[in-house]
Every structure is written in C-alpha cells, then in structure tokens.
Amino acid sequence: MGEFDLIERFFKRPARSAVLGVGDDCALLQPRPGTQLAISSDMLVEGRHFLSTVDPFKLGHKALAVNLSDLAACGAKPLAFTLALALPRADEAWLEPFSRGLLALADAHGCELIGGDTTQGPLNICITVFGEVPVVAGRSQALLRSGAQVGDDIYVSGSVGDARLALEVFRGTLQVPAAVFAQARARMEQPTPRVALGQTLRGVANAAIDVSDGLLGDLGHILSQSGVGARFETSLAINLIACRSNPAWSGCQSDRCLSDEHWLELVLAGGDDYELVFTASASARAAVLEAARSSQTAVTRVGLIEAAPGLRLIDGAGQLMHRRYPSFDHFA
C-alpha cells in the first residue's frame, strides 16, 4: 500500500465545514464573522509519549484528545485539524483502528480532518488543531494564561494523577490492585478533553491552562504570565486522584498501600491528565458551579491567587510545605 492509497483509504473524508479539505496542496478554512482562529500543535513520539504496546484505537483517540485539550483551555470550539504521521511501515492492521479511534473523537467534537502529511520513519504523530473563539465588542473571549487576578479562586477540573499512577505501574515502580490499574490506565490512554467546560468558562474564568506536564508546573505558567503568586491547599488537592477512592484498595497489604506523600506526588507532579486548571473571581463561584453542571464536569477549588510572587503549598494543618514537585520536562 502506497502513501496516497493510505491517505485515501484511512483518512480522506468529504469536507463539511472547511471550504477545502484533504486532497490539495492546502486546506481552506473560512472563520465565521466575529470569531478568531485558535491554533495549537502537539507531537506524540513513541517511547516518549506512549508505549509501543498501546492499543492503536486508543492512541488515535489520545493523539487528538491532547490537542482538543489545548482548545478547551482557550475556551475555543473545535473546527478542524491536520495530521502529520511518520510510520515505520504502512501496516493496515494498525492503521484501521488508529484512524477509527482518531476520527471517532473528531466526529464527537465536530472537528474534521482537513490535511496533513505521511512519511516513513519512527512512529511519530503530530496534529495541528484549529478552533474558533468569539470576539465580542472588539474583545476576544479567549481564555489566556495571563489573566489571573489577585483574589481569584483556583480550580481544577475532573481528576488528576491517575495517568501517572498507570505509568508507574508500567515502569514497575508500583504494584496496585488490577481494578485500580484498569481505572488508571483508561485515564492514561484515553483522556477526556474538557472542551465543553472550556467554552462554558468564557466570560467566567480569568485564566486557564490544561494540565499536561504536571498540575503545579502548569499552574506555575499561569502565575508567571499573570505576574501573581498563589496559595495552594494540598489537603484538597490530594482528593483529586480518582483511583484513591477505588474500592479495590480495601484491605490491601501495607506494602501495596500508598502514603499521602506518594498520592500528593502523583497529583501535583504527575502530568498527562489533560484537565483544566483555571482561576475565577470569588464573585463568580456560582457561575463556575453552573459551568461545571452544564458541561457535566466536576470542578474542585484548591487555592487562591495572591499578590506575593511564588507558589505556597499549605498542608492540612495550615502549615507551609517546603517540598517541591517539579513538572515534566521533555529535555530533562
């Protein structure tokens, strides 16, 4: 099977909202009046971002999900995406489930594949996604990292830390009950991009970012770009990891149970969660809860934006913690 047969069979579809889709030198998008384009790219490299044994259907899902998560953090509505794919060989048995997982998520969010490239090489998936954000009275409604204000509450959507738990099991550093591993693995391999929440937070949240490299590290980007600091309540954050409440932990042996410190490390420095961390004024608490309800996404308030620079971790006794939780670095 050649390159163009591969594209025709697994990835070419009629354009729906795009002016021109797959099959020409360029795709053509026409933004609606009163909107801006939001654009983001993410690359997934085998051995760095995913295991060689991953189900290709789930990999197709995740490849697009991590990009949709960026749109969610911006409050953008998905429009379209391009796919650049390097493959060791044109393996139909791999391509069929990969494209099915990719396009199923795309269809669920009305985000069409409009172009890209394929070549032979080590497995590498690069997606560029396009979304739209309203412009109202000359002002963009995009959520940015730079908008946090002193006095804002800090929120986190969904659960975080579960993907890192699964990774540690794969690495052999942890042993957990089978049901816990299954739950964590699902979060690692098929994350849920919080697209609906991101859109409902427009005009409610002041700043937002998605959690890809670690909760505290990504929150740090908001603090840096907004020129503020924060107080972060670790006793609230420790409950963000869903696997901690799995009934399968009941009666586990002491050497298999995790300490609070270990749970905190998974939550605060885990990464690969693709949840949203965002800030909103205290006066917007009811609006935040309504955004969570209407998007069917849980949110948890975990801290407060302060004027003094830096991130201060506070334990359950109200004491300042001095341990650091570094986030993931691709070149570390």
Side-chain angles (χ1 to χ4, degrees):
M1 180 170 51
E3 176 184 2
F4 298 106
D5 294 329
L6 183 159
I7 295 170
E8 186 76 26
R9 179 171 174 182
F10 295 107
F11 299 110
K12 187 173 182 180
R13 308 169 102 193
R16 297 191 301 273
S17 59
V19 177
L20 182 65
V22 175
D24 220 299
D25 290 307
C26 290
L28 298 176
L29 288 176
Q30 180 64 55
R32 293 186 304 166
T35 65
Q36 293 176 323
L37 277 180
I39 305 168
S40 180
S41 292
D42 266 299
M43 183 184 301
L44 298 183
V45 178
E46 184 180 52
R48 189 62 171 169
H49 300 99
F50 60 90
L51 303 174
S52 61
T53 55
V54 68
D55 180 339
F57 177 90
K58 295 177 180 178
L59 181 58
H61 171 103
K62 184 171 183 176
L64 182 58
V66 303
N67 286 269
L68 292 177
S69 182
D70 285 329
L71 291 185
C74 192
K77 175 184 176 182
L79 290 178
F81 71 101
T82 61
L83 169 68
L85 184 62
L87 295 165
R89 61 188 182 282
D91 183 354
E92 297 179 39
W94 187 92
L95 281 161
E96 190 281 327
F98 173 81
S99 62
R100 189 159 37 88
L102 177 82
L103 297 175
L105 185 63
D107 289 345
H109 290 280
C111 189
E112 61 182 330
L113 177 58
I114 58 171
D117 192 24
T118 58
T119 190
Q120 187 175 31
L123 185 55
N124 188 325
I125 306 157
C126 185
I127 287 178
T128 297
V129 71
F130 304 86
E132 65 178 14
V133 179
V135 177
V136 178
R139 290 191 59 184
S140 172
Q141 297 299 293
L143 301 175
L144 305 177
R145 301 177 182 183
S146 56
Q149 300 175 17
V150 174
D152 278 3
D153 294 317
I154 302 169
Y155 295 89
V156 180
S157 70
S159 65
V160 298
D162 303 280
R164 177 61 179 272
L165 177 65
L167 179 60
E168 294 305 323
V169 175
F170 276 120
R171 287 174 169 172
T173 64
L174 284 179
Q175 288 185 331
V176 302
V180 174
F181 177 54
Q183 179 183 8
R185 184 175 183 176
R187 288 285 295 149
M188 175 184 177
E189 295 181 342
Q190 288 186 284
T192 301
R194 302 302 184 181
V195 174
L197 176 63
Q199 292 177 58
T200 59
L201 287 174
R202 291 193 303 240
V204 175
N206 289 328
I209 189 173
D210 80 323
V211 182
S212 56
D213 295 329
L215 175 55
L216 292 190
D218 289 319
L219 173 59
H221 295 311
I222 288 181
L223 303 184
S224 174
Q225 295 198 29
S226 298
V228 294
R231 173 188 176 96
F232 190 94
E233 306 289 343
T234 61
S235 60
L236 301 176
I238 196 172
N239 297 313
L240 288 170
I241 184 164
C243 285
R244 191 167 186 245
S245 59
N246 191 305
W249 286 111
S250 177
C252 71
Q253 298 299 315
S254 60
D255 62 345
R256 297 178 66 192
C257 294
L258 278 65
S259 67
D260 283 355
E261 179 53 42
H262 207 152
W263 286 117
L264 266 181
E265 184 175 357
L266 294 172
V267 169
L268 301 182
D272 224 20
D273 300 296
Y274 303 102
E275 295 290 352
L276 301 184
V277 56
F278 61 95
T279 79
S281 67
S283 63
R285 288 179 182 175
V288 169
L289 293 179
E290 175 56 26
R293 185 202 63 79
S294 64
S295 64
Q296 299 181 3
T297 307
V299 300
T300 303
R301 185 155 45 96
V302 294
L304 183 71
I305 297 295
E306 298 178 328
L311 178 59
R312 289 160 288 282
L313 304 183
I314 307 300
D315 65 17
Q319 299 300 306
L320 182 67
M321 298 173 60
H322 297 287
R323 176 164 178 186
R324 299 295 95 184
Y325 296 87
S327 61
F328 178 74
D329 184 334
H330 287 87
F331 292 96

